[in-house]
Amino acid sequence: MFMVLKVVTIYADPMGMQFSKFQLDEDLWTKRAKEFNDAFYAQTNSLFTKVLFASDETLGLKRDYLSIRNDDLLRIELEHQGRLVDSLALLDSNVDGFYHSDAGMRVALSFDDVGHVREAALL
């Protein structure tokens, strides 16, 4: 969703003057993913220590399985974050390249009465 919003913003405001640029807060994303992982692990331990089960060994195996799966999900989440960061950097690089190359891309500008750029559009 973040990527779609970024593309739409670039299309609507190619010069980046009307809308603020969307920035991904990687540290906050990582922190929240780890907080979720820790909360899930704590809740699993809390629930599994309160239940009565036929075998403590089986209960321990289920708790360990959930812990491993939760760690896998955190790893996957952080991998997706890395891919998104890479994709956003590539998108920014491509958009910047349009302004500094002979790729045939044109920018239309409209100015106000004092010469400030009022609107910009990619052609």
PDB file of all heavy atoms in Angstrom, residues 32-65:
ATOM      1  N   ARG A  32       8.342  -1.951  15.887  1.00  0.00           N
ATOM      2  CA  ARG A  32       6.969  -2.466  16.030  1.00  0.00           C
ATOM      3  C   ARG A  32       6.901  -3.970  15.728  1.00  0.00           C
ATOM      4  O   ARG A  32       6.179  -4.709  16.400  1.00  0.00           O
ATOM      5  CB  ARG A  32       6.013  -1.708  15.106  1.00  0.00           C
ATOM      6  CG  ARG A  32       5.836  -0.265  15.461  1.00  0.00           C
ATOM      7  CD  ARG A  32       5.056  -0.105  16.764  1.00  0.00           C
ATOM      8  NE  ARG A  32       4.730   1.282  16.967  1.00  0.00           N
ATOM      9  CZ  ARG A  32       5.193   2.019  17.961  1.00  0.00           C
ATOM     10  NH1 ARG A  32       5.991   1.499  18.851  1.00  0.00           N
ATOM     11  NH2 ARG A  32       4.848   3.275  18.070  1.00  0.00           N
ATOM     12  N   ALA A  33       7.639  -4.419  14.730  1.00  0.00           N
ATOM     13  CA  ALA A  33       7.643  -5.846  14.404  1.00  0.00           C
ATOM     14  C   ALA A  33       8.221  -6.651  15.560  1.00  0.00           C
ATOM     15  O   ALA A  33       7.687  -7.712  15.929  1.00  0.00           O
ATOM     16  CB  ALA A  33       8.440  -6.095  13.124  1.00  0.00           C
ATOM     17  N   LYS A  34       9.283  -6.161  16.168  1.00  0.00           N
ATOM     18  CA  LYS A  34       9.887  -6.863  17.304  1.00  0.00           C
ATOM     19  C   LYS A  34       8.980  -6.814  18.526  1.00  0.00           C
ATOM     20  O   LYS A  34       8.890  -7.787  19.281  1.00  0.00           O
ATOM     21  CB  LYS A  34      11.261  -6.284  17.609  1.00  0.00           C
ATOM     22  CG  LYS A  34      12.280  -6.667  16.553  1.00  0.00           C
ATOM     23  CD  LYS A  34      13.658  -6.121  16.844  1.00  0.00           C
ATOM     24  CE  LYS A  34      14.623  -6.558  15.756  1.00  0.00           C
ATOM     25  NZ  LYS A  34      15.957  -6.014  15.932  1.00  0.00           N
ATOM     26  N   GLU A  35       8.300  -5.691  18.732  1.00  0.00           N
ATOM     27  CA  GLU A  35       7.355  -5.588  19.849  1.00  0.00           C
ATOM     28  C   GLU A  35       6.226  -6.600  19.687  1.00  0.00           C
ATOM     29  O   GLU A  35       5.803  -7.236  20.656  1.00  0.00           O
ATOM     30  CB  GLU A  35       6.777  -4.178  19.949  1.00  0.00           C
ATOM     31  CG  GLU A  35       7.743  -3.159  20.499  1.00  0.00           C
ATOM     32  CD  GLU A  35       7.198  -1.739  20.437  1.00  0.00           C
ATOM     33  OE1 GLU A  35       6.102  -1.518  19.862  1.00  0.00           O
ATOM     34  OE2 GLU A  35       7.881  -0.841  20.962  1.00  0.00           O
ATOM     35  N   PHE A  36       5.735  -6.750  18.461  1.00  0.00           N
ATOM     36  CA  PHE A  36       4.685  -7.735  18.199  1.00  0.00           C
ATOM     37  C   PHE A  36       5.203  -9.139  18.478  1.00  0.00           C
ATOM     38  O   PHE A  36       4.531  -9.949  19.111  1.00  0.00           O
ATOM     39  CB  PHE A  36       4.190  -7.629  16.753  1.00  0.00           C
ATOM     40  CG  PHE A  36       3.157  -8.659  16.417  1.00  0.00           C
ATOM     41  CD1 PHE A  36       1.840  -8.473  16.782  1.00  0.00           C
ATOM     42  CD2 PHE A  36       3.510  -9.826  15.755  1.00  0.00           C
ATOM     43  CE1 PHE A  36       0.875  -9.431  16.496  1.00  0.00           C
ATOM     44  CE2 PHE A  36       2.556 -10.793  15.466  1.00  0.00           C
ATOM     45  CZ  PHE A  36       1.241 -10.597  15.830  1.00  0.00           C
ATOM     46  N   ASN A  37       6.410  -9.418  18.018  1.00  0.00           N
ATOM     47  CA  ASN A  37       7.019 -10.730  18.241  1.00  0.00           C
ATOM     48  C   ASN A  37       7.126 -11.016  19.736  1.00  0.00           C
ATOM     49  O   ASN A  37       6.774 -12.103  20.198  1.00  0.00           O
ATOM     50  CB  ASN A  37       8.392 -10.762  17.570  1.00  0.00           C
ATOM     51  CG  ASN A  37       9.084 -12.094  17.704  1.00  0.00           C
ATOM     52  OD1 ASN A  37       9.551 -12.447  18.781  1.00  0.00           O
ATOM     53  ND2 ASN A  37       9.162 -12.825  16.616  1.00  0.00           N
ATOM     54  N   ASP A  38       7.616 -10.047  20.503  1.00  0.00           N
ATOM     55  CA  ASP A  38       7.769 -10.232  21.947  1.00  0.00           C
ATOM     56  C   ASP A  38       6.421 -10.410  22.639  1.00  0.00           C
ATOM     57  O   ASP A  38       6.284 -11.250  23.540  1.00  0.00           O
ATOM     58  CB  ASP A  38       8.507  -9.034  22.556  1.00  0.00           C
ATOM     59  CG  ASP A  38       9.956  -8.941  22.100  1.00  0.00           C
ATOM     60  OD1 ASP A  38      10.492  -9.939  21.568  1.00  0.00           O
ATOM     61  OD2 ASP A  38      10.549  -7.844  22.254  1.00  0.00           O
ATOM     62  N   ALA A  39       5.423  -9.622  22.223  1.00  0.00           N
ATOM     63  CA  ALA A  39       4.094  -9.736  22.824  1.00  0.00           C
ATOM     64  C   ALA A  39       3.475 -11.094  22.519  1.00  0.00           C
ATOM     65  O   ALA A  39       2.855 -11.719  23.395  1.00  0.00           O
ATOM     66  CB  ALA A  39       3.186  -8.615  22.313  1.00  0.00           C
ATOM     67  N   PHE A  40       3.642 -11.574  21.303  1.00  0.00           N
ATOM     68  CA  PHE A  40       3.108 -12.887  20.926  1.00  0.00           C
ATOM     69  C   PHE A  40       3.773 -13.980  21.753  1.00  0.00           C
ATOM     70  O   PHE A  40       3.112 -14.878  22.272  1.00  0.00           O
ATOM     71  CB  PHE A  40       3.319 -13.143  19.434  1.00  0.00           C
ATOM     72  CG  PHE A  40       2.746 -14.451  18.964  1.00  0.00           C
ATOM     73  CD1 PHE A  40       1.415 -14.534  18.601  1.00  0.00           C
ATOM     74  CD2 PHE A  40       3.540 -15.588  18.907  1.00  0.00           C
ATOM     75  CE1 PHE A  40       0.885 -15.747  18.174  1.00  0.00           C
ATOM     76  CE2 PHE A  40       3.009 -16.798  18.488  1.00  0.00           C
ATOM     77  CZ  PHE A  40       1.675 -16.880  18.114  1.00  0.00           C
ATOM     78  N   TYR A  41       5.092 -13.896  21.886  1.00  0.00           N
ATOM     79  CA  TYR A  41       5.841 -14.886  22.652  1.00  0.00           C
ATOM     80  C   TYR A  41       5.400 -14.878  24.119  1.00  0.00           C
ATOM     81  O   TYR A  41       5.171 -15.934  24.719  1.00  0.00           O
ATOM     82  CB  TYR A  41       7.344 -14.611  22.534  1.00  0.00           C
ATOM     83  CG  TYR A  41       8.190 -15.647  23.218  1.00  0.00           C
ATOM     84  CD1 TYR A  41       8.396 -16.892  22.635  1.00  0.00           C
ATOM     85  CD2 TYR A  41       8.786 -15.389  24.445  1.00  0.00           C
ATOM     86  CE1 TYR A  41       9.164 -17.862  23.263  1.00  0.00           C
ATOM     87  CE2 TYR A  41       9.554 -16.345  25.078  1.00  0.00           C
ATOM     88  CZ  TYR A  41       9.739 -17.581  24.495  1.00  0.00           C
ATOM     89  OH  TYR A  41      10.499 -18.527  25.114  1.00  0.00           O
ATOM     90  N   ALA A  42       5.254 -13.689  24.707  1.00  0.00           N
ATOM     91  CA  ALA A  42       4.820 -13.583  26.101  1.00  0.00           C
ATOM     92  C   ALA A  42       3.412 -14.133  26.292  1.00  0.00           C
ATOM     93  O   ALA A  42       3.137 -14.853  27.264  1.00  0.00           O
ATOM     94  CB  ALA A  42       4.882 -12.124  26.558  1.00  0.00           C
ATOM     95  N   GLN A  43       2.517 -13.829  25.360  1.00  0.00           N
ATOM     96  CA  GLN A  43       1.142 -14.317  25.455  1.00  0.00           C
ATOM     97  C   GLN A  43       1.093 -15.838  25.312  1.00  0.00           C
ATOM     98  O   GLN A  43       0.364 -16.509  26.028  1.00  0.00           O
ATOM     99  CB  GLN A  43       0.269 -13.655  24.372  1.00  0.00           C
ATOM    100  CG  GLN A  43      -1.193 -13.996  24.463  1.00  0.00           C
ATOM    101  CD  GLN A  43      -1.873 -13.407  25.694  1.00  0.00           C
ATOM    102  OE1 GLN A  43      -1.314 -12.595  26.414  1.00  0.00           O
ATOM    103  NE2 GLN A  43      -3.079 -13.837  25.946  1.00  0.00           N
ATOM    104  N   THR A  44       1.897 -16.373  24.408  1.00  0.00           N
ATOM    105  CA  THR A  44       1.957 -17.825  24.225  1.00  0.00           C
ATOM    106  C   THR A  44       2.432 -18.490  25.512  1.00  0.00           C
ATOM    107  O   THR A  44       1.824 -19.467  25.972  1.00  0.00           O
ATOM    108  CB  THR A  44       2.906 -18.187  23.060  1.00  0.00           C
ATOM    109  OG1 THR A  44       2.396 -17.611  21.866  1.00  0.00           O
ATOM    110  CG2 THR A  44       3.019 -19.683  22.889  1.00  0.00           C
ATOM    111  N   ASN A  45       3.497 -17.969  26.093  1.00  0.00           N
ATOM    112  CA  ASN A  45       4.001 -18.545  27.348  1.00  0.00           C
ATOM    113  C   ASN A  45       2.974 -18.443  28.465  1.00  0.00           C
ATOM    114  O   ASN A  45       2.799 -19.370  29.245  1.00  0.00           O
ATOM    115  CB  ASN A  45       5.303 -17.860  27.770  1.00  0.00           C
ATOM    116  CG  ASN A  45       6.493 -18.405  27.023  1.00  0.00           C
ATOM    117  OD1 ASN A  45       6.479 -19.539  26.558  1.00  0.00           O
ATOM    118  ND2 ASN A  45       7.527 -17.599  26.910  1.00  0.00           N
ATOM    119  N   SER A  46       2.302 -17.300  28.534  1.00  0.00           N
ATOM    120  CA  SER A  46       1.292 -17.099  29.567  1.00  0.00           C
ATOM    121  C   SER A  46       0.150 -18.106  29.428  1.00  0.00           C
ATOM    122  O   SER A  46      -0.260 -18.730  30.409  1.00  0.00           O
ATOM    123  CB  SER A  46       0.755 -15.677  29.481  1.00  0.00           C
ATOM    124  OG  SER A  46      -0.332 -15.497  30.350  1.00  0.00           O
ATOM    125  N   LEU A  47      -0.361 -18.257  28.233  1.00  0.00           N
ATOM    126  CA  LEU A  47      -1.487 -19.175  28.020  1.00  0.00           C
ATOM    127  C   LEU A  47      -1.090 -20.632  28.192  1.00  0.00           C
ATOM    128  O   LEU A  47      -1.836 -21.426  28.750  1.00  0.00           O
ATOM    129  CB  LEU A  47      -2.085 -18.945  26.631  1.00  0.00           C
ATOM    130  CG  LEU A  47      -2.786 -17.604  26.416  1.00  0.00           C
ATOM    131  CD1 LEU A  47      -3.220 -17.449  24.967  1.00  0.00           C
ATOM    132  CD2 LEU A  47      -3.988 -17.475  27.350  1.00  0.00           C
ATOM    133  N   PHE A  48       0.092 -20.990  27.722  1.00  0.00           N
ATOM    134  CA  PHE A  48       0.508 -22.377  27.782  1.00  0.00           C
ATOM    135  C   PHE A  48       0.933 -22.807  29.187  1.00  0.00           C
ATOM    136  O   PHE A  48       1.020 -23.990  29.471  1.00  0.00           O
ATOM    137  CB  PHE A  48       1.622 -22.667  26.776  1.00  0.00           C
ATOM    138  CG  PHE A  48       1.104 -23.041  25.417  1.00  0.00           C
ATOM    139  CD1 PHE A  48       0.548 -22.090  24.585  1.00  0.00           C
ATOM    140  CD2 PHE A  48       1.149 -24.349  24.979  1.00  0.00           C
ATOM    141  CE1 PHE A  48       0.057 -22.430  23.338  1.00  0.00           C
ATOM    142  CE2 PHE A  48       0.661 -24.701  23.739  1.00  0.00           C
ATOM    143  CZ  PHE A  48       0.115 -23.739  22.916  1.00  0.00           C
ATOM    144  N   THR A  49       1.215 -21.875  30.071  1.00  0.00           N
ATOM    145  CA  THR A  49       1.538 -22.262  31.446  1.00  0.00           C
ATOM    146  C   THR A  49       0.273 -22.443  32.274  1.00  0.00           C
ATOM    147  O   THR A  49       0.317 -23.078  33.320  1.00  0.00           O
ATOM    148  CB  THR A  49       2.447 -21.217  32.126  1.00  0.00           C
ATOM    149  OG1 THR A  49       1.828 -19.938  32.053  1.00  0.00           O
ATOM    150  CG2 THR A  49       3.806 -21.174  31.467  1.00  0.00           C
ATOM    151  N   LYS A  50      -0.854 -21.917  31.801  1.00  0.00           N
ATOM    152  CA  LYS A  50      -2.112 -22.007  32.546  1.00  0.00           C
ATOM    153  C   LYS A  50      -2.962 -23.206  32.159  1.00  0.00           C
ATOM    154  O   LYS A  50      -3.898 -23.532  32.862  1.00  0.00           O
ATOM    155  CB  LYS A  50      -2.932 -20.725  32.330  1.00  0.00           C
ATOM    156  CG  LYS A  50      -2.284 -19.487  32.900  1.00  0.00           C
ATOM    157  CD  LYS A  50      -3.114 -18.256  32.589  1.00  0.00           C
ATOM    158  CE  LYS A  50      -2.417 -17.009  33.082  1.00  0.00           C
ATOM    159  NZ  LYS A  50      -3.154 -15.806  32.736  1.00  0.00           N
ATOM    160  N   VAL A  51      -2.677 -23.825  31.033  1.00  0.00           N
ATOM    161  CA  VAL A  51      -3.541 -24.912  30.559  1.00  0.00           C
ATOM    162  C   VAL A  51      -3.130 -26.234  31.185  1.00  0.00           C
ATOM    163  O   VAL A  51      -1.979 -26.463  31.546  1.00  0.00           O
ATOM    164  CB  VAL A  51      -3.506 -25.039  29.020  1.00  0.00           C
ATOM    165  CG1 VAL A  51      -4.024 -23.790  28.365  1.00  0.00           C
ATOM    166  CG2 VAL A  51      -2.128 -25.381  28.527  1.00  0.00           C
ATOM    167  N   LEU A  52      -4.124 -27.094  31.320  1.00  0.00           N
ATOM    168  CA  LEU A  52      -3.870 -28.456  31.760  1.00  0.00           C
ATOM    169  C   LEU A  52      -3.748 -29.312  30.520  1.00  0.00           C
ATOM    170  O   LEU A  52      -4.592 -29.253  29.621  1.00  0.00           O
ATOM    171  CB  LEU A  52      -5.009 -28.953  32.644  1.00  0.00           C
ATOM    172  CG  LEU A  52      -5.194 -28.203  33.962  1.00  0.00           C
ATOM    173  CD1 LEU A  52      -6.437 -28.704  34.680  1.00  0.00           C
ATOM    174  CD2 LEU A  52      -3.965 -28.362  34.845  1.00  0.00           C
ATOM    175  N   PHE A  53      -2.719 -30.083  30.442  1.00  0.00           N
ATOM    176  CA  PHE A  53      -2.489 -30.881  29.256  1.00  0.00           C
ATOM    177  C   PHE A  53      -2.052 -32.263  29.675  1.00  0.00           C
ATOM    178  O   PHE A  53      -1.510 -32.451  30.767  1.00  0.00           O
ATOM    179  CB  PHE A  53      -1.424 -30.205  28.375  1.00  0.00           C
ATOM    180  CG  PHE A  53      -1.602 -30.442  26.920  1.00  0.00           C
ATOM    181  CD1 PHE A  53      -2.532 -29.713  26.199  1.00  0.00           C
ATOM    182  CD2 PHE A  53      -0.859 -31.395  26.258  1.00  0.00           C
ATOM    183  CE1 PHE A  53      -2.706 -29.928  24.861  1.00  0.00           C
ATOM    184  CE2 PHE A  53      -1.023 -31.620  24.910  1.00  0.00           C
ATOM    185  CZ  PHE A  53      -1.952 -30.883  24.205  1.00  0.00           C
ATOM    186  N   ALA A  54      -2.287 -33.215  28.823  1.00  0.00           N
ATOM    187  CA  ALA A  54      -1.964 -34.604  29.153  1.00  0.00           C
ATOM    188  C   ALA A  54      -0.464 -34.787  29.379  1.00  0.00           C
ATOM    189  O   ALA A  54      -0.061 -35.595  30.207  1.00  0.00           O
ATOM    190  CB  ALA A  54      -2.449 -35.527  28.034  1.00  0.00           C
ATOM    191  N   SER A  55       0.334 -34.047  28.693  1.00  0.00           N
ATOM    192  CA  SER A  55       1.778 -34.228  28.798  1.00  0.00           C
ATOM    193  C   SER A  55       2.473 -32.871  28.738  1.00  0.00           C
ATOM    194  O   SER A  55       2.246 -32.083  27.828  1.00  0.00           O
ATOM    195  CB  SER A  55       2.260 -35.115  27.650  1.00  0.00           C
ATOM    196  OG  SER A  55       3.645 -35.052  27.523  1.00  0.00           O
ATOM    197  N   ASP A  56       3.318 -32.622  29.737  1.00  0.00           N
ATOM    198  CA  ASP A  56       4.093 -31.380  29.726  1.00  0.00           C
ATOM    199  C   ASP A  56       5.038 -31.340  28.532  1.00  0.00           C
ATOM    200  O   ASP A  56       5.335 -30.288  27.996  1.00  0.00           O
ATOM    201  CB  ASP A  56       4.892 -31.241  31.020  1.00  0.00           C
ATOM    202  CG  ASP A  56       4.016 -30.847  32.198  1.00  0.00           C
ATOM    203  OD1 ASP A  56       2.907 -30.326  31.967  1.00  0.00           O
ATOM    204  OD2 ASP A  56       4.457 -31.057  33.347  1.00  0.00           O
ATOM    205  N   GLU A  57       5.496 -32.507  28.105  1.00  0.00           N
ATOM    206  CA  GLU A  57       6.399 -32.576  26.957  1.00  0.00           C
ATOM    207  C   GLU A  57       5.692 -32.115  25.687  1.00  0.00           C
ATOM    208  O   GLU A  57       6.238 -31.316  24.913  1.00  0.00           O
ATOM    209  CB  GLU A  57       6.924 -33.995  26.772  1.00  0.00           C
ATOM    210  CG  GLU A  57       7.905 -34.132  25.622  1.00  0.00           C
ATOM    211  CD  GLU A  57       8.400 -35.567  25.470  1.00  0.00           C
ATOM    212  OE1 GLU A  57       8.273 -36.365  26.400  1.00  0.00           O
ATOM    213  OE2 GLU A  57       8.913 -35.855  24.376  1.00  0.00           O
ATOM    214  N   THR A  58       4.463 -32.593  25.490  1.00  0.00           N
ATOM    215  CA  THR A  58       3.685 -32.182  24.317  1.00  0.00           C
ATOM    216  C   THR A  58       3.388 -30.690  24.374  1.00  0.00           C
ATOM    217  O   THR A  58       3.480 -29.991  23.369  1.00  0.00           O
ATOM    218  CB  THR A  58       2.364 -32.975  24.241  1.00  0.00           C
ATOM    219  OG1 THR A  58       2.670 -34.365  24.226  1.00  0.00           O
ATOM    220  CG2 THR A  58       1.565 -32.615  23.005  1.00  0.00           C
ATOM    221  N   LEU A  59       3.054 -30.206  25.559  1.00  0.00           N
ATOM    222  CA  LEU A  59       2.788 -28.784  25.735  1.00  0.00           C
ATOM    223  C   LEU A  59       4.039 -27.965  25.400  1.00  0.00           C
ATOM    224  O   LEU A  59       3.961 -26.956  24.700  1.00  0.00           O
ATOM    225  CB  LEU A  59       2.342 -28.515  27.171  1.00  0.00           C
ATOM    226  CG  LEU A  59       1.935 -27.094  27.513  1.00  0.00           C
ATOM    227  CD1 LEU A  59       0.742 -26.660  26.683  1.00  0.00           C
ATOM    228  CD2 LEU A  59       1.617 -26.987  28.987  1.00  0.00           C
ATOM    229  N   GLY A  60       5.177 -28.407  25.855  1.00  0.00           N
ATOM    230  CA  GLY A  60       6.435 -27.720  25.558  1.00  0.00           C
ATOM    231  C   GLY A  60       6.745 -27.718  24.076  1.00  0.00           C
ATOM    232  O   GLY A  60       7.221 -26.719  23.532  1.00  0.00           O
ATOM    233  N   LEU A  61       6.479 -28.834  23.410  1.00  0.00           N
ATOM    234  CA  LEU A  61       6.704 -28.910  21.962  1.00  0.00           C
ATOM    235  C   LEU A  61       5.814 -27.936  21.214  1.00  0.00           C
ATOM    236  O   LEU A  61       6.264 -27.278  20.271  1.00  0.00           O
ATOM    237  CB  LEU A  61       6.479 -30.336  21.461  1.00  0.00           C
ATOM    238  CG  LEU A  61       7.528 -31.373  21.873  1.00  0.00           C
ATOM    239  CD1 LEU A  61       7.073 -32.779  21.464  1.00  0.00           C
ATOM    240  CD2 LEU A  61       8.870 -31.044  21.267  1.00  0.00           C
ATOM    241  N   LYS A  62       4.552 -27.837  21.622  1.00  0.00           N
ATOM    242  CA  LYS A  62       3.635 -26.893  20.956  1.00  0.00           C
ATOM    243  C   LYS A  62       4.072 -25.452  21.198  1.00  0.00           C
ATOM    244  O   LYS A  62       4.041 -24.636  20.292  1.00  0.00           O
ATOM    245  CB  LYS A  62       2.204 -27.126  21.454  1.00  0.00           C
ATOM    246  CG  LYS A  62       1.619 -28.414  20.944  1.00  0.00           C
ATOM    247  CD  LYS A  62       0.181 -28.573  21.343  1.00  0.00           C
ATOM    248  CE  LYS A  62      -0.298 -29.906  20.813  1.00  0.00           C
ATOM    249  NZ  LYS A  62      -1.577 -29.841  20.204  1.00  0.00           N
ATOM    250  N   ARG A  63       4.499 -25.163  22.423  1.00  0.00           N
ATOM    251  CA  ARG A  63       4.968 -23.814  22.734  1.00  0.00           C
ATOM    252  C   ARG A  63       6.229 -23.486  21.912  1.00  0.00           C
ATOM    253  O   ARG A  63       6.355 -22.408  21.354  1.00  0.00           O
ATOM    254  CB  ARG A  63       5.249 -23.681  24.230  1.00  0.00           C
ATOM    255  CG  ARG A  63       5.669 -22.286  24.632  1.00  0.00           C
ATOM    256  CD  ARG A  63       5.841 -22.111  26.128  1.00  0.00           C
ATOM    257  NE  ARG A  63       6.575 -23.184  26.752  1.00  0.00           N
ATOM    258  CZ  ARG A  63       6.136 -23.882  27.812  1.00  0.00           C
ATOM    259  NH1 ARG A  63       4.971 -23.606  28.358  1.00  0.00           N
ATOM    260  NH2 ARG A  63       6.871 -24.841  28.325  1.00  0.00           N
ATOM    261  N   ASP A  64       7.140 -24.442  21.820  1.00  0.00           N
ATOM    262  CA  ASP A  64       8.354 -24.236  21.027  1.00  0.00           C
ATOM    263  C   ASP A  64       8.028 -24.050  19.545  1.00  0.00           C
ATOM    264  O   ASP A  64       8.638 -23.216  18.869  1.00  0.00           O
ATOM    265  CB  ASP A  64       9.318 -25.420  21.201  1.00  0.00           C
ATOM    266  CG  ASP A  64       9.908 -25.485  22.598  1.00  0.00           C
ATOM    267  OD1 ASP A  64       9.808 -24.488  23.344  1.00  0.00           O
ATOM    268  OD2 ASP A  64      10.449 -26.561  22.948  1.00  0.00           O
ATOM    269  N   TYR A  65       7.068 -24.833  19.050  1.00  0.00           N
ATOM    270  CA  TYR A  65       6.672 -24.712  17.642  1.00  0.00           C
ATOM    271  C   TYR A  65       6.129 -23.312  17.365  1.00  0.00           C
ATOM    272  O   TYR A  65       6.503 -22.672  16.368  1.00  0.00           O
ATOM    273  CB  TYR A  65       5.632 -25.770  17.285  1.00  0.00           C
ATOM    274  CG  TYR A  65       5.065 -25.590  15.902  1.00  0.00           C
ATOM    275  CD1 TYR A  65       5.793 -25.972  14.786  1.00  0.00           C
ATOM    276  CD2 TYR A  65       3.812 -25.004  15.704  1.00  0.00           C
ATOM    277  CE1 TYR A  65       5.300 -25.791  13.508  1.00  0.00           C
ATOM    278  CE2 TYR A  65       3.316 -24.810  14.437  1.00  0.00           C
ATOM    279  CZ  TYR A  65       4.050 -25.210  13.334  1.00  0.00           C
ATOM    280  OH  TYR A  65       3.556 -25.019  12.078  1.00  0.00           O
TER     281      TYR A  65
END
